[in-house]
Amino acid sequence: RITAIVTKFDALRPAPGEDRDLDEESKRLANSEALYAAAAVARDDFAGKHPIDKAVRFYTLGADRGDTRCMLSMGRLHYETDKAQSLQWLNRALEAGDQSAHCFLADHHPNEYQHHLSLGALSDEPIAVYFHAKHLIDQATCAQSRRAAIKEMRRAAQLGEGLAYIALGYAHAFGDNGQKINLQESEFAYRRAFEYGHEEGLAQLGRLLIARRIDVPRGEVFLEHSAL
């Protein structure tokens, strides 16, 4: 499933007085770009108090300022807890001109799943192109369709999607989806995934170096680092 899963909003309500702290912090953030970034940090700060509630506040303010990324994030956050509200946020982003919303609307419309993914990929948003490519790979039944799927995955990687590099690294490591085994290409792809912020890229590179006996000590270092 595409949509990010975040649950138990009600258990994360701020204590009395914390609303004022959030309001003050919100006022210091001058634009939607800053609000989007702050929401992402708050969402992932599981050591902090009420991370999801704080993220929702920032995303909502960013959305009110027209940032469709904030609208999409709200749609994804609400997917598990409130499908109707999730749809409202995603449709709001679509109405604001963000075609990548189709990528996440696909989960809401299983009978039109591929259609929505195809429309989302037209946006050239990296994650939307990646999910479209992944679906094409999953559905590929012949050499021609596998080539088309890998071509789309390469497009997602070129647009800057780290997950696409992981998929390409795997394809080159194991000769998957019609690709020839090419360990240099595989290592390059995994490194690029890591550069784009995906620790899984480093972990996969470590496993590759160990499994193929290319450089076991270095592979163990990569695995250890990715686990931190």
Side-chain angles (χ1 to χ4, degrees):
R1 188 165 59 218
I2 291 173
T3 310
I5 299 174
V6 180
T7 58
K8 299 182 181 177
F9 281 90
D10 292 335
L12 295 170
R13 297 300 174 194
E18 288 186 9
D19 274 329
R20 290 194 297 274
D21 295 335
L22 286 174
D23 287 336
E24 289 303 314
E25 193 165 353
S26 300
K27 291 175 183 177
R28 289 197 295 272
L29 300 171
N31 53 48
S32 62
E33 185 77 29
L35 286 165
Y36 178 77
V41 171
R43 182 195 63 210
D44 296 333
D45 181 21
F46 296 109
K49 293 182 178 180
H50 314 295
I52 300 303
D53 201 87
K54 195 172 184 180
V56 165
R57 176 72 65 87
F58 291 148
Y59 280 141
T60 302
L61 287 171
D64 289 344
R65 296 180 187 183
D67 194 313
T68 58
R69 295 171 306 169
C70 291
M71 299 174 198
L72 293 175
S73 295
M74 287 293 287
R76 296 169 71 185
L77 284 172
H78 283 92
Y79 180 78
E80 288 295 320
T81 57
D82 191 332
K83 294 288 195 298
Q85 191 167 165
S86 173
L87 264 174
Q88 288 178 1
W89 280 108
L90 295 175
N91 283 323
R92 181 176 169 184
L94 189 61
E95 291 166 5
D98 193 334
Q99 293 298 307
S100 71
H102 282 290
C103 167
F104 306 108
L105 284 167
D107 279 340
H108 289 277
H109 304 288
N111 293 333
E112 300 175 349
Y113 192 81
Q114 183 167 334
H115 177 64
H116 279 289
L117 289 183
S118 298
L119 291 176
L122 294 176
S123 69
D124 286 339
E125 184 65 27
I127 192 64
V129 177
Y130 164 76
F131 282 128
H132 181 233
K134 187 176 184 302
H135 179 70
L136 292 178
I137 287 175
D138 292 341
Q139 299 298 310
T141 57
C142 64
Q144 183 178 358
S145 58
R146 282 191 288 270
R147 283 196 297 270
I150 287 294
K151 182 179 180 181
E152 183 75 339
M153 191 63 77
R154 292 190 189 284
R155 185 166 80 92
Q158 290 167 357
L159 288 168
E161 179 50 57
L163 290 172
Y165 277 112
I166 291 176
L168 291 172
Y170 185 89
H172 284 299
F174 297 98
D176 206 20
N177 294 304
Q179 301 304 293
K180 293 181 179 179
I181 292 178
N182 187 324
L183 299 185
Q184 286 185 325
E185 284 291 332
S186 180
E187 180 172 348
F188 170 79
Y190 287 145
R191 285 185 180 277
R192 290 292 284 167
F194 178 63
E195 289 170 5
Y196 277 105
H198 292 276
E199 294 287 340
E200 179 62 18
L202 195 62
Q204 290 290 356
L205 178 55
R207 295 187 187 103
L208 176 70
L209 296 177
I210 293 170
R212 302 301 172 88
R213 314 302 292 180
I214 299 170
D215 190 335
V216 174
R218 189 160 62 116
E220 290 173 345
V221 170
F222 288 163
L223 276 178
E224 182 178 352
H225 181 86
S226 67
L228 296 178

